[in-house]
Amino acid sequence: MKAILEFKLPEEQDEFRVAVNGAAWQAVLQNLDQQMRGVVKHGDDPVEAEQAQRWRDVLHDLAEAAGAGIYE
């Protein structure tokens, strides 16, 4: 199976950039998630850990609602 995306450049430059940089943004979100996971798992401050977990939940909920899993 092949998928071909076509863009009319320069008119659709923004859309093209979003499509091309999707994997980079996924890596950014994965890194952010892992950093927050580290705070939750290994942090010394329970309040900070609770806040980090809340933000992780928000991040995952937003990604799921957009149909774009962080680790898919």
Side-chain angles (χ1 to χ4, degrees), residues 22-56:
W25 278 108
Q26 184 181 35
V28 168
L29 294 174
Q30 288 173 352
N31 187 293
L32 177 61
D33 183 56
Q34 289 302 307
Q35 287 187 29
M36 288 188 292
R37 181 180 179 273
V39 171
V40 171
K41 192 169 182 179
H42 304 291
D44 296 328
D45 184 352
V47 172
E48 187 178 59
E50 183 178 332
Q51 290 173 342
Q53 185 58 55
R54 284 184 185 167
W55 282 112
R56 281 188 82 207

Side-chain angles (χ1 to χ4, degrees), residues 5-7 12-25:
L5 302 176
E6 291 187 22
F7 298 92
E12 296 178 341
Q13 182 66 37
D14 291 339
E15 293 85 350
F16 172 74
R17 190 174 41 245
V18 167
V20 169
N21 291 328
W25 278 108

